[in-house]
Amino acid sequence: MSLRKQTPSDFLKQIIGRPVVVKLNSGVDYRGVLACLDGYMNIAIEQTEEYVNGQLKNKYGDAFLRGNNASFFTYSFLRAAFQLVM
C-alpha cells in the first residue's frame, strides 16, 4: 500500500466548505466555514463566530481575515471537542 504525499495546497483545497478555527496573533479565535483563501493566506469565512478568552462575543455572516494577522488555523472536524477545551 502506498501513501500519496499531499501538498499544503492540496490539503487547503480539500477543506474549503468545512469548519475551521483561525487564531489571530491577538489571541482572538474565529470559527466558521472556510469559504476561500489566497496565496497570501488571507482567509474568507462564512457563519463566523468570534471568541475572546473562550467566550462567544459576536456572530458575523461573513468575515475576511488578513493572513499576516493569523497565528494558525486548523480544520475543525472536532469542533465540539475544541469548544470543550477552551
Side-chain angles (χ1 to χ4, degrees), residues 55-75:
Q55 293 191 351
L56 179 64
K57 293 296 179 180
N58 287 303
K59 289 187 177 187
Y60 307 103
D62 298 330
F64 179 80
L65 306 172
R66 280 189 67 188
N68 66 340
N69 290 328
S71 58
F72 75 87
F73 86 97
T74 182
Y75 168 51

Side-chain angles (χ1 to χ4, degrees), residues 22 34 36-38 41-45 63-67 70 73:
V22 179
L34 180 63
C36 64
L37 49 94
D38 64 14
M41 292 299 292
N42 295 316
I43 303 162
I45 302 176
F64 179 80
L65 306 172
R66 280 189 67 188
F73 86 97

Side-chain angles (χ1 to χ4, degrees), residues 8-24:
S9 179
D10 292 336
F11 171 73
L12 293 172
K13 288 176 188 173
Q14 288 179 353
I15 65 170
I16 291 176
R18 305 244 175 131
V20 294
V21 177
V22 179
K23 186 171 195 83
L24 300 186

